[in-house]
Amino acid sequence: MQRAQQLRRRTAKEDRMKPIDLIKKGIIKDNPTFVLVLGMCPTLGTTTSALNGMGMGLATLVVLTLSNIVISAVARFIPDKVRIPSYIVIISAFVTIIQLLMQAYLPSLYETLGLFIPLIVVNCIVLGRAEAFANKNTVLDSACDGLGIGLGFTLSLMVIGLIRELLGSGTLFGLPLWHGDGILVFVLAPGAFLVLGLLMALFNKLTRRA
Amino acid sequence: MAKMESTLKNMLISLGGIALVCALLLAVVNALTEKKIARVQSEKTARAIAQVLPAFEGAPIDTVVLLDGTEYNVHKAMAGGSTVGYAVESVTAGFGGPINLMVGFNAAGDICSTAVISHSETPGLGAKITEGESHFRTQFDGRNPAEYRLKVTKDGGDVDAITASTITSRAFTAAVEKAYNVYLAASGSNTDAASSATAPQDGEGGSDEAN
């Protein structure tokens, strides 16, 4: 009796993670930037400031969550051979919607992120979660997975952007902290690699201990 | 429920259906945001025009000038029945991508001011062209390209380039020069005989004093 209960609890734990655990998993254990190392192009390209990183992260989060929900809902109606094109069509529809909304309501953010928004379509995180998670899990779980991975992505990009902005331009979310130029290299592409690499090392050291 | 089999019919129906639904959704969102996006863009243009021209009345008259096979948007501003100036949209290839400029000219052909509409220059280097306090952009203000050589000093001109951003500086200067040529074409073709007769006289008088 006790054994059976134990067994049931264990299988339940293994098969179905609680929604909150799915979200936590996306931020820490399966962090898309520092652990899965996916979506590096927008990570390196848009994190010149904390606000840009956050904007890119949030745009991806919305697309990822919506596409995860829709794909998990319709996955069983999609024949295997056309699943990838189907996912791409669904994802690109959401990306275009986000792009239009941003253009209309957040024009200044759209200007800085411009080129990278359409590129969310081919962001490996979004397609990766569709293929690895959403098409074989329930709608709720997929939504939580999208939310978790999206939050992980947003937080990572924001931290990278924060550090690059602080060192490179001496500002914090656009507020000047001190006068004069920063260490320019951190705003440029090499700085993105430096900050990303060092943060990745730090992140892995911290999570491996725990 | 079993997965759909990959028969041709199933594939056509599912992929076609998804594409159709997505297209409809996009059509709806596009219809909802179209006007707002157009308004945001025209507001931006209006702001740039106001920034580069002296005070004017009413809405500027928009025209398109064709020069060397490229179309340029020109905005003619009026006040009290006479032309105050022209704002010319100009674009060149910078270091990181196209640099879109709005250049304002007064009736005498002097550059009033310039505004960067969009650019993708390196932050901290070429991006200094957008900074209001930087010497680079303001050095054009009040100059008349008829006697102010629109080339960076390295190329034998009068424009001080931004340190370590010669390509950006050259591109910016070239955009201003293009805008001036467009201005010449626009003011020559659009003004009536009376005003075109007075404009060159003003210009000559100015250069005589300079000599």
Side-chain angles (χ1 to χ4, degrees), chain A residues 67-91:
Chain A
S67 71
N68 259 11
I69 290 174
V70 171
I71 287 168
S72 64
V74 301
R76 53 191 177 154
F77 303 113
I78 301 174
D80 262 350
K81 278 189 185 161
V82 288
R83 69 182 194 286
I84 301 288
S86 304
Y87 299 163
I88 292 285
V89 171
I90 293 169
I91 294 166

PDB file of all heavy atoms in Angstrom, chain A residues 67-91:
ATOM      1  N   SER A  67       2.908  30.426 -29.391  1.00  0.00           N
ATOM      2  CA  SER A  67       3.115  29.349 -30.359  1.00  0.00           C
ATOM      3  C   SER A  67       3.089  27.998 -29.656  1.00  0.00           C
ATOM      4  O   SER A  67       2.556  27.023 -30.191  1.00  0.00           O
ATOM      5  CB  SER A  67       4.421  29.555 -31.132  1.00  0.00           C
ATOM      6  OG  SER A  67       5.523  29.325 -30.300  1.00  0.00           O
ATOM      7  N   ASN A  68       3.630  27.930 -28.433  1.00  0.00           N
ATOM      8  CA  ASN A  68       3.559  26.682 -27.664  1.00  0.00           C
ATOM      9  C   ASN A  68       2.109  26.274 -27.417  1.00  0.00           C
ATOM     10  O   ASN A  68       1.744  25.100 -27.564  1.00  0.00           O
ATOM     11  CB  ASN A  68       4.280  26.853 -26.326  1.00  0.00           C
ATOM     12  CG  ASN A  68       5.665  26.245 -26.346  1.00  0.00           C
ATOM     13  OD1 ASN A  68       6.160  25.876 -27.406  1.00  0.00           O
ATOM     14  ND2 ASN A  68       6.279  26.144 -25.195  1.00  0.00           N
ATOM     15  N   ILE A  69       1.278  27.239 -27.035  1.00  0.00           N
ATOM     16  CA  ILE A  69      -0.134  26.940 -26.750  1.00  0.00           C
ATOM     17  C   ILE A  69      -0.810  26.410 -28.005  1.00  0.00           C
ATOM     18  O   ILE A  69      -1.437  25.341 -27.999  1.00  0.00           O
ATOM     19  CB  ILE A  69      -0.856  28.215 -26.243  1.00  0.00           C
ATOM     20  CG1 ILE A  69      -0.349  28.581 -24.846  1.00  0.00           C
ATOM     21  CG2 ILE A  69      -2.367  28.005 -26.222  1.00  0.00           C
ATOM     22  CD1 ILE A  69      -0.880  29.899 -24.322  1.00  0.00           C
ATOM     23  N   VAL A  70      -0.673  27.154 -29.100  1.00  0.00           N
ATOM     24  CA  VAL A  70      -1.368  26.767 -30.337  1.00  0.00           C
ATOM     25  C   VAL A  70      -0.848  25.437 -30.867  1.00  0.00           C
ATOM     26  O   VAL A  70      -1.616  24.556 -31.243  1.00  0.00           O
ATOM     27  CB  VAL A  70      -1.243  27.882 -31.399  1.00  0.00           C
ATOM     28  CG1 VAL A  70      -1.764  27.402 -32.732  1.00  0.00           C
ATOM     29  CG2 VAL A  70      -1.994  29.116 -30.935  1.00  0.00           C
ATOM     30  N   ILE A  71       0.475  25.274 -30.853  1.00  0.00           N
ATOM     31  CA  ILE A  71       1.041  24.046 -31.415  1.00  0.00           C
ATOM     32  C   ILE A  71       0.644  22.836 -30.585  1.00  0.00           C
ATOM     33  O   ILE A  71       0.281  21.784 -31.124  1.00  0.00           O
ATOM     34  CB  ILE A  71       2.573  24.172 -31.558  1.00  0.00           C
ATOM     35  CG1 ILE A  71       2.887  25.122 -32.715  1.00  0.00           C
ATOM     36  CG2 ILE A  71       3.220  22.815 -31.810  1.00  0.00           C
ATOM     37  CD1 ILE A  71       4.309  25.564 -32.801  1.00  0.00           C
ATOM     38  N   SER A  72       0.643  22.984 -29.253  1.00  0.00           N
ATOM     39  CA  SER A  72       0.234  21.835 -28.436  1.00  0.00           C
ATOM     40  C   SER A  72      -1.243  21.508 -28.661  1.00  0.00           C
ATOM     41  O   SER A  72      -1.655  20.352 -28.575  1.00  0.00           O
ATOM     42  CB  SER A  72       0.507  22.107 -26.957  1.00  0.00           C
ATOM     43  OG  SER A  72      -0.277  23.189 -26.512  1.00  0.00           O
ATOM     44  N   ALA A  73      -2.042  22.529 -28.975  1.00  0.00           N
ATOM     45  CA  ALA A  73      -3.467  22.286 -29.197  1.00  0.00           C
ATOM     46  C   ALA A  73      -3.737  21.619 -30.540  1.00  0.00           C
ATOM     47  O   ALA A  73      -4.630  20.782 -30.647  1.00  0.00           O
ATOM     48  CB  ALA A  73      -4.236  23.609 -29.105  1.00  0.00           C
ATOM     49  N   VAL A  74      -2.963  21.984 -31.563  1.00  0.00           N
ATOM     50  CA  VAL A  74      -3.265  21.446 -32.894  1.00  0.00           C
ATOM     51  C   VAL A  74      -2.318  20.333 -33.329  1.00  0.00           C
ATOM     52  O   VAL A  74      -2.503  19.756 -34.398  1.00  0.00           O
ATOM     53  CB  VAL A  74      -3.266  22.557 -33.981  1.00  0.00           C
ATOM     54  CG1 VAL A  74      -4.286  23.624 -33.659  1.00  0.00           C
ATOM     55  CG2 VAL A  74      -1.885  23.154 -34.149  1.00  0.00           C
ATOM     56  N   ALA A  75      -1.318  20.014 -32.487  1.00  0.00           N
ATOM     57  CA  ALA A  75      -0.272  19.070 -32.913  1.00  0.00           C
ATOM     58  C   ALA A  75      -0.837  17.761 -33.447  1.00  0.00           C
ATOM     59  O   ALA A  75      -0.337  17.213 -34.420  1.00  0.00           O
ATOM     60  CB  ALA A  75       0.689  18.807 -31.768  1.00  0.00           C
ATOM     61  N   ARG A  76      -1.908  17.247 -32.794  1.00  0.00           N
ATOM     62  CA  ARG A  76      -2.375  15.921 -33.209  1.00  0.00           C
ATOM     63  C   ARG A  76      -3.125  15.962 -34.540  1.00  0.00           C
ATOM     64  O   ARG A  76      -3.406  14.933 -35.126  1.00  0.00           O
ATOM     65  CB  ARG A  76      -3.235  15.298 -32.123  1.00  0.00           C
ATOM     66  CG  ARG A  76      -4.348  16.201 -31.712  1.00  0.00           C
ATOM     67  CD  ARG A  76      -4.996  15.687 -30.472  1.00  0.00           C
ATOM     68  NE  ARG A  76      -6.022  16.638 -30.080  1.00  0.00           N
ATOM     69  CZ  ARG A  76      -7.084  16.336 -29.381  1.00  0.00           C
ATOM     70  NH1 ARG A  76      -7.268  15.100 -28.990  1.00  0.00           N
ATOM     71  NH2 ARG A  76      -7.961  17.247 -29.072  1.00  0.00           N
ATOM     72  N   PHE A  77      -3.462  17.139 -35.011  1.00  0.00           N
ATOM     73  CA  PHE A  77      -4.108  17.225 -36.317  1.00  0.00           C
ATOM     74  C   PHE A  77      -3.110  17.456 -37.446  1.00  0.00           C
ATOM     75  O   PHE A  77      -3.478  17.538 -38.608  1.00  0.00           O
ATOM     76  CB  PHE A  77      -5.132  18.376 -36.336  1.00  0.00           C
ATOM     77  CG  PHE A  77      -6.176  18.244 -35.265  1.00  0.00           C
ATOM     78  CD1 PHE A  77      -6.236  19.144 -34.215  1.00  0.00           C
ATOM     79  CD2 PHE A  77      -7.083  17.177 -35.294  1.00  0.00           C
ATOM     80  CE1 PHE A  77      -7.181  19.012 -33.212  1.00  0.00           C
ATOM     81  CE2 PHE A  77      -8.028  17.041 -34.301  1.00  0.00           C
ATOM     82  CZ  PHE A  77      -8.086  17.956 -33.260  1.00  0.00           C
ATOM     83  N   ILE A  78      -1.850  17.603 -37.083  1.00  0.00           N
ATOM     84  CA  ILE A  78      -0.848  17.883 -38.112  1.00  0.00           C
ATOM     85  C   ILE A  78      -0.094  16.606 -38.451  1.00  0.00           C
ATOM     86  O   ILE A  78       0.522  16.002 -37.581  1.00  0.00           O
ATOM     87  CB  ILE A  78       0.147  18.955 -37.620  1.00  0.00           C
ATOM     88  CG1 ILE A  78      -0.594  20.247 -37.264  1.00  0.00           C
ATOM     89  CG2 ILE A  78       1.203  19.223 -38.676  1.00  0.00           C
ATOM     90  CD1 ILE A  78       0.281  21.302 -36.647  1.00  0.00           C
ATOM     91  N   PRO A  79      -0.141  16.178 -39.718  1.00  0.00           N
ATOM     92  CA  PRO A  79       0.617  14.994 -40.108  1.00  0.00           C
ATOM     93  C   PRO A  79       2.109  15.244 -39.905  1.00  0.00           C
ATOM     94  O   PRO A  79       2.579  16.365 -40.099  1.00  0.00           O
ATOM     95  CB  PRO A  79       0.299  14.846 -41.599  1.00  0.00           C
ATOM     96  CG  PRO A  79      -0.909  15.669 -41.841  1.00  0.00           C
ATOM     97  CD  PRO A  79      -0.893  16.762 -40.836  1.00  0.00           C
ATOM     98  N   ASP A  80       2.829  14.185 -39.523  1.00  0.00           N
ATOM     99  CA  ASP A  80       4.241  14.320 -39.181  1.00  0.00           C
ATOM    100  C   ASP A  80       5.087  14.989 -40.253  1.00  0.00           C
ATOM    101  O   ASP A  80       5.961  15.785 -39.955  1.00  0.00           O
ATOM    102  CB  ASP A  80       4.830  12.928 -38.877  1.00  0.00           C
ATOM    103  CG  ASP A  80       4.862  12.691 -37.369  1.00  0.00           C
ATOM    104  OD1 ASP A  80       4.608  13.659 -36.641  1.00  0.00           O
ATOM    105  OD2 ASP A  80       5.128  11.551 -36.948  1.00  0.00           O
ATOM    106  N   LYS A  81       4.798  14.624 -41.511  1.00  0.00           N
ATOM    107  CA  LYS A  81       5.690  15.092 -42.575  1.00  0.00           C
ATOM    108  C   LYS A  81       5.612  16.591 -42.810  1.00  0.00           C
ATOM    109  O   LYS A  81       6.526  17.167 -43.385  1.00  0.00           O
ATOM    110  CB  LYS A  81       5.375  14.352 -43.879  1.00  0.00           C
ATOM    111  CG  LYS A  81       6.037  12.988 -43.930  1.00  0.00           C
ATOM    112  CD  LYS A  81       5.876  12.385 -45.301  1.00  0.00           C
ATOM    113  CE  LYS A  81       6.420  10.970 -45.314  1.00  0.00           C
ATOM    114  NZ  LYS A  81       5.893  10.222 -46.464  1.00  0.00           N
ATOM    115  N   VAL A  82       4.506  17.219 -42.425  1.00  0.00           N
ATOM    116  CA  VAL A  82       4.414  18.676 -42.636  1.00  0.00           C
ATOM    117  C   VAL A  82       4.439  19.437 -41.308  1.00  0.00           C
ATOM    118  O   VAL A  82       4.033  20.585 -41.243  1.00  0.00           O
ATOM    119  CB  VAL A  82       3.150  19.079 -43.430  1.00  0.00           C
ATOM    120  CG1 VAL A  82       3.264  18.671 -44.878  1.00  0.00           C
ATOM    121  CG2 VAL A  82       1.902  18.512 -42.794  1.00  0.00           C
ATOM    122  N   ARG A  83       4.940  18.786 -40.241  1.00  0.00           N
ATOM    123  CA  ARG A  83       4.856  19.481 -38.954  1.00  0.00           C
ATOM    124  C   ARG A  83       5.774  20.700 -38.895  1.00  0.00           C
ATOM    125  O   ARG A  83       5.363  21.751 -38.399  1.00  0.00           O
ATOM    126  CB  ARG A  83       5.116  18.517 -37.794  1.00  0.00           C
ATOM    127  CG  ARG A  83       6.512  18.010 -37.674  1.00  0.00           C
ATOM    128  CD  ARG A  83       6.654  17.032 -36.522  1.00  0.00           C
ATOM    129  NE  ARG A  83       8.037  16.810 -36.203  1.00  0.00           N
ATOM    130  CZ  ARG A  83       8.861  16.089 -36.953  1.00  0.00           C
ATOM    131  NH1 ARG A  83       8.438  15.522 -38.067  1.00  0.00           N
ATOM    132  NH2 ARG A  83      10.133  15.937 -36.601  1.00  0.00           N
ATOM    133  N   ILE A  84       7.006  20.576 -39.428  1.00  0.00           N
ATOM    134  CA  ILE A  84       7.929  21.721 -39.333  1.00  0.00           C
ATOM    135  C   ILE A  84       7.385  22.927 -40.106  1.00  0.00           C
ATOM    136  O   ILE A  84       7.295  24.024 -39.546  1.00  0.00           O
ATOM    137  CB  ILE A  84       9.354  21.322 -39.801  1.00  0.00           C
ATOM    138  CG1 ILE A  84       9.899  20.170 -38.947  1.00  0.00           C
ATOM    139  CG2 ILE A  84      10.296  22.524 -39.759  1.00  0.00           C
ATOM    140  CD1 ILE A  84      10.285  20.527 -37.538  1.00  0.00           C
ATOM    141  N   PRO A  85       6.981  22.762 -41.394  1.00  0.00           N
ATOM    142  CA  PRO A  85       6.399  23.931 -42.065  1.00  0.00           C
ATOM    143  C   PRO A  85       5.172  24.475 -41.342  1.00  0.00           C
ATOM    144  O   PRO A  85       4.990  25.699 -41.277  1.00  0.00           O
ATOM    145  CB  PRO A  85       6.025  23.420 -43.464  1.00  0.00           C
ATOM    146  CG  PRO A  85       6.432  22.016 -43.532  1.00  0.00           C
ATOM    147  CD  PRO A  85       7.175  21.637 -42.314  1.00  0.00           C
ATOM    148  N   SER A  86       4.370  23.593 -40.783  1.00  0.00           N
ATOM    149  CA  SER A  86       3.191  24.076 -40.051  1.00  0.00           C
ATOM    150  C   SER A  86       3.606  24.925 -38.855  1.00  0.00           C
ATOM    151  O   SER A  86       3.046  25.990 -38.614  1.00  0.00           O
ATOM    152  CB  SER A  86       2.352  22.904 -39.555  1.00  0.00           C
ATOM    153  OG  SER A  86       1.990  22.080 -40.621  1.00  0.00           O
ATOM    154  N   TYR A  87       4.599  24.438 -38.094  1.00  0.00           N
ATOM    155  CA  TYR A  87       5.054  25.204 -36.932  1.00  0.00           C
ATOM    156  C   TYR A  87       5.580  26.567 -37.374  1.00  0.00           C
ATOM    157  O   TYR A  87       5.315  27.585 -36.743  1.00  0.00           O
ATOM    158  CB  TYR A  87       6.172  24.461 -36.171  1.00  0.00           C
ATOM    159  CG  TYR A  87       5.773  23.115 -35.628  1.00  0.00           C
ATOM    160  CD1 TYR A  87       6.732  22.189 -35.239  1.00  0.00           C
ATOM    161  CD2 TYR A  87       4.432  22.764 -35.497  1.00  0.00           C
ATOM    162  CE1 TYR A  87       6.381  20.951 -34.741  1.00  0.00           C
ATOM    163  CE2 TYR A  87       4.076  21.526 -35.002  1.00  0.00           C
ATOM    164  CZ  TYR A  87       5.050  20.620 -34.636  1.00  0.00           C
ATOM    165  OH  TYR A  87       4.702  19.401 -34.153  1.00  0.00           O
ATOM    166  N   ILE A  88       6.366  26.550 -38.465  1.00  0.00           N
ATOM    167  CA  ILE A  88       6.972  27.811 -38.925  1.00  0.00           C
ATOM    168  C   ILE A  88       5.877  28.807 -39.315  1.00  0.00           C
ATOM    169  O   ILE A  88       5.958  29.992 -38.996  1.00  0.00           O
ATOM    170  CB  ILE A  88       7.919  27.554 -40.122  1.00  0.00           C
ATOM    171  CG1 ILE A  88       9.137  26.751 -39.660  1.00  0.00           C
ATOM    172  CG2 ILE A  88       8.357  28.864 -40.757  1.00  0.00           C
ATOM    173  CD1 ILE A  88      10.150  27.524 -38.874  1.00  0.00           C
ATOM    174  N   VAL A  89       4.827  28.318 -39.981  1.00  0.00           N
ATOM    175  CA  VAL A  89       3.739  29.222 -40.371  1.00  0.00           C
ATOM    176  C   VAL A  89       3.074  29.812 -39.127  1.00  0.00           C
ATOM    177  O   VAL A  89       2.834  31.019 -39.042  1.00  0.00           O
ATOM    178  CB  VAL A  89       2.702  28.487 -41.253  1.00  0.00           C
ATOM    179  CG1 VAL A  89       1.478  29.365 -41.475  1.00  0.00           C
ATOM    180  CG2 VAL A  89       3.314  28.110 -42.585  1.00  0.00           C
ATOM    181  N   ILE A  90       2.811  28.952 -38.135  1.00  0.00           N
ATOM    182  CA  ILE A  90       2.172  29.438 -36.902  1.00  0.00           C
ATOM    183  C   ILE A  90       3.069  30.453 -36.199  1.00  0.00           C
ATOM    184  O   ILE A  90       2.641  31.543 -35.806  1.00  0.00           O
ATOM    185  CB  ILE A  90       1.861  28.252 -35.955  1.00  0.00           C
ATOM    186  CG1 ILE A  90       0.791  27.354 -36.584  1.00  0.00           C
ATOM    187  CG2 ILE A  90       1.418  28.746 -34.590  1.00  0.00           C
ATOM    188  CD1 ILE A  90       0.590  26.037 -35.871  1.00  0.00           C
ATOM    189  N   ILE A  91       4.354  30.103 -36.062  1.00  0.00           N
ATOM    190  CA  ILE A  91       5.290  31.001 -35.367  1.00  0.00           C
ATOM    191  C   ILE A  91       5.411  32.326 -36.112  1.00  0.00           C
ATOM    192  O   ILE A  91       5.351  33.403 -35.513  1.00  0.00           O
ATOM    193  CB  ILE A  91       6.679  30.327 -35.226  1.00  0.00           C
ATOM    194  CG1 ILE A  91       6.601  29.105 -34.296  1.00  0.00           C
ATOM    195  CG2 ILE A  91       7.708  31.324 -34.707  1.00  0.00           C
ATOM    196  CD1 ILE A  91       7.811  28.199 -34.378  1.00  0.00           C
TER     197      ILE A  91
END
